[in-house]
Amino acid sequence: MFGIEYPIFAFSHCRDVVVAVSRAGGMGVLGALYFTPEELELELKWIDEHVGGKPYGVDVVMPAKYEGADLGDAEELLGKLQGMIPQQHKDFLEELLAEHGVEPSNESAGRALLGWTDQTARPQVEVALRHPIALLANALGPPPADVVALAHEHGVKVAGLASSARHARKQVEVGVDIIVAQGTEAGGHTGEISTMVLIPDVVDEVGEEAIVLAAGGIGRGRQVAAGMALGAEGAWTGSIWLTVDEADTPQQAIPKLLAATSRDTVRSRAWTGKPARFLKTAWTEAWESEKSPGYLPMPMQFMLISDALRRIGRSGDGELVTFPVGQIVGSMNQVKPAAQVVYDLMAEYIEAIERLTTITEAE
Amino acid sequence: MFGIEYPIFAFSHCRDVVVAVSRAGGMGVLGALYFTPEELELELKWIDEHVGGKPYGVDVVMPAKYEGADLGDAEELLGKLQGMIPQQHKDFLEELLAEHGVEPSNESAGRALLGWTDQTARPQVEVALRHPIALLANALGPPPADVVALAHEHGVKVAGLASSARHARKQVEVGVDIIVAQGTEAGGHTGEISTMVLIPDVVDEVGEEAIVLAAGGIGRGRQVAAGMALGAEGAWTGSIWLTVDEADTPQQAIPKLLAATSRDTVRSRAWTGKPARFLKTAWTEAWESEKSPGYLPMPMQFMLISDALRRIGRSGDGELVTFPVGQIVGSMNQVKPAAQVVYDLMAEYIEAIERLTTITEAE
C-alpha cells in the first residue's frame, strides 16, 4: 500500500525520529497533538526537506467524545472549560506540587487545550493535507466522516486506533482504511483488551475491509512476528522511539524510562482524563490516593495539569516526573539510533520466523 | 520432553477434559484445588484408567505467601482463620446476597480452606506422586524446594506459573523445569504484564535453563503461533476448556461464558483475595463499590465467600454468578468436543505459520 520496505509504523512527536524511521525503510508518523497549526506547518516542511521522498504520516487526536464539543470555537471553548475546573482540584494539585518542592509559577496556562478537540484538531488536519503525507491517523475513536473523505480526496490513507472489535467496526463504517488494533499494554490512551486477544478479534471483524496493524507491547522483532502471527499485516510502535538518539524526550524522563521494568507502568486517568498508560510514579499514585479529588473529564484534566507538568519539568525532587509509555518500557534499556532500532526489529523478526518454521517442520 | 504430539497444555478441573486432551495429542493437566486428597485419589485413578497411557499432569496451588502459614495444621489453621474474618465483611456479604434474592443457609462452611495453603496442598502432592503423572504444576509462586526435589525423585517434571521475569528466575532457582509465563489477560490468578511483553522477557531471563510455555489470551491457533513467535516452546491454555462438551462447568455459568465478549472480564480480589481475572458481574462490581469493606487476604477471602458461592449457584437472580476466565472468553462462543478444540488449534496454528512464511518470503 505504501511501498515501504518494512511493515513497521513508528509513532513519535519528534520529527527527527519520523525522518530516521522513514529513511530506514519503515514509516514514521508525526504526533501533531502538541503543535499549533503554525508549528505543525514548520515541522512538516522540515520533514519534507529531510525525508528523501520516503512516505510518512501525521497523527491527530479527534476524540469521539469530550466535554465542550458544543461550546463554540477553540478560544471560546478554552475560556468556558477553564471556568468549569473545580477549586478542589486546583488545591489538591498545588499541595501535591508543594510536597515535592515544585516552585509556583505566574505563567498563563498556555496551550492547555491542545489538539484533542474537533475545534483544535481540524486546523492540524488542514495543514497536514497541504503536505505530501501518505497517512493520516486518528488516535481516539473514529474520525469525523468528512475528515476521512477529505483525506481520501488528497489520496491520503486514513488510520484509526481501536481497542476493541466493536470500535474497529465503527471506524471501518466511516471509511477508515487501516485499523491500528492497540492492546492494553500500549503507552498512552489504551483500552483493556490485550494485544494477544485483540488482534484476532479485530482481524475477524474487519480484516476483509481494512488493513489491520498490531499495536501494544511491540518493541522487539519477536513481537512483530507475534503480531503478524495473530493476523496483522504490520506493526505500529510508539514507546520504543522515546529512547532513540534522535528523540526529544524530556531529559528528566530518559533515565526513568531506561531503568523501568515492564511492571512499572500503570493505566491511569491522571494525565488526560481518559485511561492512558504511564510510568508509575508519585504523580500517578497521588491521583489514586485517598486525598485525590478524582479525575476531570477530557480535555479538562490536562488543562488543569499542563502548567504543573512544565513546572515539574523545571524544579522539584523529580518524583512526580512521569511519561506516557507502554509495558515494553522494560526492554528499553539502551539509547540507540532510530535506524538501528528498525534494523534490529527486522533482524529479530526474521530470526523468529525461521525458528517457527523449523519447529513446525520438525513436528 | 513429554513425547506429546502437539505443544498444547490444557488446564482443567475436570478429569474428562484432561483425558480428552491427552488422548487427542496434547497434555491435560488436572487442577487439584477443589479436591480433598481422597477425592483426588479417585480422580487420578479414573484418569489412569481412561487416558490410554498418554501423559497428563496435576496442578496444585502452593502460594509463596498467605495468612496463616505459621498457624499449625490444616484443621487448626481453619479454625483460627475463621475467627479472623471481620463481622463487617460477613454483613456486607449477607446484604449483597439478600439484594439478589439468594436464600440463607445453615450449612457449615465446609471445605472453605481448599488446597491453597502449604498445609492443604502437600497431601495433594503426595497423592499425585503415587500416580504415573508426567507433570506437577504449581499455580502461585515458586513451589517449596523439597516438593520440587520429591517430584524429580519420581521422575516428574515441575512447572511453575510466573507473571514476571523476576518470578520466573525465582522458580528456576528452586529447580522448576518449565515456566508457564502467564500474561495479565489470563483467567484466574494473574499479574499485570501482558503475554506479548512477558514471554520475551521470561525467555531472555530463563530460556536457557527452563522450557517456557506461553499462557494468557491463548485460545486460537493464531495465538499459539504468536506465543511460539515470542519464543515459547508451547502454549498453556485454561479458559477454552470451560465450554467444551466434556466440561463440568456450572450450568449457570455456561451461557454467560458463551455470551461474554473480551471486554467482559475484570481482574479482581473478590474471589481469593489475590488478583484474579473473572467474568465482570454484579459480584465483582459490588466488591468494588463504595459499600465494599475491601478484600480479605488469601485464604480468608475465599473462606468468607465459599458458602455464598454455593448458595448463589442454587438460588437468586443469577446476577451474582461469576467464574474465573480470561479475556479469550470473547471467542468462546460454541460448545465443542475437547478433541475438536485441540485439532482446531493446531489447524489454525499451521495456517498462521504458512501465512507468516509466505508474507516473509514475499518481502
Side-chain angles (χ1 to χ4, degrees), chain A residues 5-7 163-164 166-167 184-185 192-201 203-204 214 216-218 220-233 262-263 265 277 280 327-328 330-331 346 348-350 352-353 355-357 359-360 363, chain B residues 5-7 163-164 166-167 184-185 192-201 203-204 214 216-218 220-233 262-263 265 277 280 327-328 330-331 346 348-350 352-353 355-357 359-360 363:
Chain A
E5 203 172 341
Y6 308 125
S163 59
S164 73
R166 198 165 55 89
H167 288 162
T184 187
E185 52 268 72
E192 292 184 6
I193 308 170
S194 80
T195 302
M196 188 67 117
V197 172
L198 180 66
I199 308 297
D201 268 3
V203 168
D204 290 347
I218 302 188
R220 316 191 215 188
R222 280 170 284 180
Q223 289 151 340
V224 176
M228 310 287 267
L230 293 169
E233 300 193 40
S262 45
R263 304 178 77 176
T265 72
R277 190 172 295 282
K280 203 188 287 177
Q327 291 185 339
I328 194 67
S331 61
M346 289 316 295
E348 194 181 296
Y349 168 77
I350 299 292
I353 303 295
R355 176 177 168 274
L356 265 182
T357 313
I359 291 176
T360 311
E363 272 163 13
Chain B
E5 203 173 342
Y6 308 126
S163 59
S164 73
R166 199 164 56 87
H167 288 163
T184 187
E185 53 269 71
E192 290 185 6
I193 308 170
S194 79
T195 303
M196 189 68 118
V197 171
L198 179 67
I199 308 297
D201 269 4
V203 169
D204 290 348
I218 302 188
R220 316 190 214 189
R222 280 170 285 180
Q223 289 150 341
V224 176
M228 310 287 267
L230 292 169
E233 299 192 43
S262 45
R263 305 178 74 177
T265 73
R277 190 172 296 281
K280 203 187 287 173
Q327 291 185 341
I328 195 66
S331 60
M346 290 316 297
E348 193 181 295
Y349 167 77
I350 299 293
I353 304 295
R355 175 176 168 273
L356 266 182
T357 314
I359 291 176
T360 311
E363 268 163 14

Side-chain angles (χ1 to χ4, degrees), chain A residues 41-56:
Chain A
E41 172 62 32
L42 292 176
E43 298 295 302
L44 298 184
K45 191 158 173 283
W46 188 90
I47 292 177
D48 292 339
E49 287 163 5
H50 292 82
V51 79
K54 299 279 188 174
Y56 73 94

Side-chain angles (χ1 to χ4, degrees), chain A residues 308-329:
Chain A
L309 293 178
R310 273 202 307 276
R311 288 160 58 195
I312 290 167
R314 282 197 305 251
S315 74
D317 59 17
E319 299 285 319
L320 292 175
V321 171
T322 181
F323 209 77
V325 73
Q327 291 185 339
I328 194 67
V329 70

Side-chain angles (χ1 to χ4, degrees), chain B residues 201-278:
Chain B
D201 269 4
V202 171
V203 169
D204 290 348
E205 180 69 34
V206 301
E208 294 189 359
E209 296 148 86
I211 300 281
V212 177
L213 303 180
I218 302 188
R220 316 190 214 189
R222 280 170 285 180
Q223 289 150 341
V224 176
M228 310 287 267
L230 292 169
E233 299 192 43
W236 177 275
T237 57
S239 301
I240 51 170
W241 310 105
L242 294 173
T243 50
V244 295
D245 276 332
E246 293 89 343
D248 58 358
T249 308
Q251 280 309 309
Q252 278 187 309
I254 301 272
K256 289 197 175 192
L257 292 169
L258 294 174
T261 75
S262 45
R263 305 178 74 177
D264 294 330
T265 73
V266 65
R267 195 167 162 266
S268 158
R269 295 183 191 266
W271 193 283
T272 74
K274 286 190 193 272
R277 190 172 296 281
F278 282 85

